[in-house]
Amino acid sequence: MLIAHLPAGFVLGMLARYVRPGTRAVMPAALLGSIAPDLDMFYFYMVDGQQTHHHSFITHWPLFWVALGCVVLPLVKWLRPRFASAAAVFFFAAMIHMVLDSIAAPMLWLMPFSDVSVELVTIPARYSHWVLSFVLHWTFALEITICAWAAFLAVKQIRQRKLAKAACS
């Protein structure tokens, strides 16, 4: 996935708002959770020198997010119950990130217990730059679909706000 993580988080945030209206923190939580696994990119570029595939880092281990969620979610529910929905959405968004990455990139779903990588499709390096190989592969249509869905929801929300504002005037 190159461009669809944040839009997927937006879609999740919109769906969470629909399910739990009035919970303002779910959208920021969904957006942050959707890109949180890629925070390892800072290390990848600034420290590692691009020597290790960033999916090998702990932030791209699905079991890391499951374990962290098992610790954090009960604490949030106990200490700050009004943020429990947002915390759950954050971890759900991080897991969606893992699923999306598994489509066309190797993911270590059972790390640290197994280093077996899982990916739905292997994208061959057919072009001079790896980005072209991804963008010109059929799996990129899924990313475009997610982005279009997010754009549709955003436009719909803007229109609803304009209508609500006009009704109040």
Side-chain angles (χ1 to χ4, degrees):
M1 286 284 137
L2 295 176
I3 62 171
H5 289 307
L6 199 59
F10 180 79
V11 170
L12 175 62
M14 292 297 286
L15 293 172
R17 280 182 168 176
Y18 179 76
V19 172
R20 303 253 335 180
T23 311
R24 293 178 54 182
V26 295
M27 182 59 79
L31 294 174
L32 185 58
S34 71
I35 60 168
D38 278 336
L39 292 176
D40 60 17
M41 294 299 282
F42 291 109
Y43 183 85
F44 177 71
Y45 283 107
M46 295 180 186
V47 178
D48 185 57
Q50 305 173 39
Q51 297 300 308
T52 309
H53 192 292
H54 81 107
H55 285 186
S56 298
F57 299 141
I58 194 168
T59 59
H60 267 88
W61 296 357
L63 291 181
F64 165 76
W65 292 103
V66 170
L68 189 61
C70 287
V71 172
V72 170
L73 289 172
L75 286 173
V76 170
K77 191 168 183 170
W78 178 50
L79 297 171
R80 300 276 187 225
R82 69 184 185 131
F83 292 113
S85 294
V89 167
F90 172 87
F91 286 104
F92 192 71
M95 292 308 293
I96 288 174
H97 183 112
M98 302 293 122
V99 170
L100 292 175
D101 274 355
S102 295
I103 293 171
M107 287 295 296
L108 303 167
W109 276 89
L110 298 176
M111 199 61 160
F113 304 109
S114 170
D115 62 354
V116 173
S117 63
V118 176
E119 64 185 314
L120 183 64
V121 176
T122 301
I123 298 178
R126 290 193 174 146
Y127 301 97
S128 60
H129 197 280
W130 68 268
V131 172
L132 278 176
S133 295
F134 272 84
V135 170
L136 297 175
H137 193 267
W138 66 265
T139 56
F140 196 68
L142 176 60
E143 293 199 59
I144 297 299
T145 302
I146 292 168
C147 292
W149 186 11
F152 169 77
L153 292 175
V155 168
K156 183 177 173 185
Q157 181 183 37
I158 291 168
R159 286 185 179 161
Q160 287 174 340
R161 285 185 180 168
K162 284 183 180 179
L163 288 173
K165 195 174 188 179
C168 291
S169 303

